[in-house]
Amino acid sequence: MSRERILVVEDEGDLREVVAYNLAREGFKVVTAAGGATALERLERERPDLVLLDLMLPDVDGLEVCRRIRRHPELGATPIVMLTAKAEETDVVLGLGVGADDYVTKPFGVAELIARVKAVLRRVQPAEDEVGPHAVQRGPVRIDPARHEVTVDGGAVHFTATEFRLLHYLAARPGRVFPRDALLRHALGDDESRLDRNIDVHVRAIRHKLGAHRDLIETVRGVGYRFRDPPR
Ligand code: CA
């Protein structure tokens, strides 16, 4: 049984209760908020391990809550799973790059939602078992799993837990090509959800954050991705 604390932010009362009830039944400690302002208060007080965040909220909307969490000096790395009303909305939100770790589109099954929450929590665990806790330096990019820190040209850049894990996995194995399904399994953990298409989305976000060094992550057409070797 897990004891992680989940903050559920949802203004629709019935949905909030169903989600909270089912998470509690899975052994999570659940805290709820019906709006964005309350969510930010609860975040400070409860320091949740993950935030389940509805996009459309009556006061401070989900996007703004997400941005404020990411800017938070201590709680900025809190994993966020965003709830969106339709797939197109998810694409729009992704395009804004606010830094959620995953997205679940309504209507969703409770089992699916819980699987996604667990998968994101698993990903947050450092990948030490695979490549050791040592920092990886590749050209202008330095990835430090012990501190969950990425620097690009010496400046710190925030990566979500998912992006961090993916970048670290690829950078620790430069020149090797990984098919999308292998990345899904090894780097992100196989949660049997529909994250496959999200690999591309996460890679897009990573490239965006690498800025001028975006081509360090190479697309191998029809296969997958690799970290450029040598990095130049
Ligand atoms: Ca809503």
Side-chain angles (χ1 to χ4, degrees):
M1 291 289 265
S2 38
R3 281 273 147 234
E4 285 110 330
R5 200 179 292 250
I6 314 278
L7 172 58
V8 178
V9 188
E10 169 62 66
D11 59 313
E12 291 159 55
D14 290 349
L15 183 57
R16 188 174 64 242
E17 277 171 36
V18 167
V19 169
Y21 171 80
N22 283 282
L23 285 169
R25 217 174 58 163
E26 286 289 315
F28 293 106
K29 186 166 187 318
V30 184
V31 184
T32 59
T38 320
L40 290 163
E41 278 172 32
R42 302 265 147 91
L43 180 87
E44 290 278 352
R45 208 175 56 216
E46 305 284 344
R47 316 231 147 192
D49 296 294
L50 183 144
V51 181
L52 209 50
L53 181 60
D54 184 29
L55 178 63
M56 299 299 284
L57 294 166
D59 55 346
V60 184
D61 73 22
L63 282 181
E64 185 55 25
V65 173
C66 192
R67 287 196 191 99
R68 291 198 204 170
I69 293 175
R70 288 293 174 248
R71 283 201 302 259
H72 196 287
E74 292 158 56
L75 307 175
T78 307
I80 299 170
V81 175
M82 206 134 212
L83 304 177
T84 58
K86 47 181 190 283
E88 301 86 81
E89 210 173 84
T90 304
D91 291 338
V92 170
V93 176
L94 283 168
L96 294 172
V98 289
D101 291 274
D102 202 359
Y103 298 83
V104 176
T105 305
K106 295 177 188 177
F108 50 79
V110 165
E112 186 203 348
L113 181 72
I114 286 170
R116 302 283 278 268
V117 164
K118 286 182 175 173
V120 170
L121 285 170
R122 268 202 308 275
R123 266 181 254 153
V124 179
Q125 312 298 323
E128 292 182 10
D129 50 327
E130 300 203 2
V131 288
H134 304 294
V136 174
Q137 175 89 48
R138 299 278 172 241
V141 181
R142 182 181 162 83
I143 305 147
D144 186 346
R147 304 171 67 181
H148 188 89
E149 191 177 82
V150 178
T151 54
V152 180
D153 288 325
V157 180
H158 174 78
F159 281 76
T160 67
T162 304
E163 293 159 6
F164 187 92
R165 228 187 133 124
L166 198 52
L167 176 65
H168 185 242
Y169 191 85
L170 286 167
R173 300 160 180 82
R176 277 179 63 185
V177 182
F178 292 96
R180 287 174 177 78
D181 61 342
L183 285 173
L184 186 67
R185 246 185 351 264
H186 299 303
L188 304 185
D190 188 1
D191 67 343
E192 296 165 53
S193 74
R194 286 161 288 167
L195 269 167
D196 196 16
R197 80 185 173 90
N198 282 359
I199 287 279
D200 298 326
V201 164
H202 293 307
V203 167
R204 210 191 306 155
I206 291 169
R207 282 176 171 152
H208 179 71
K209 290 175 184 184
L210 293 176
H213 308 294
R214 56 184 303 116
D215 62 352
L216 281 172
I217 309 280
E218 298 179 314
T219 302
V220 181
R221 201 169 286 277
V223 185
Y225 297 103
R226 76 175 159 221
F227 198 91
R228 181 194 288 276
D229 186 36
R232 284 197 302 209

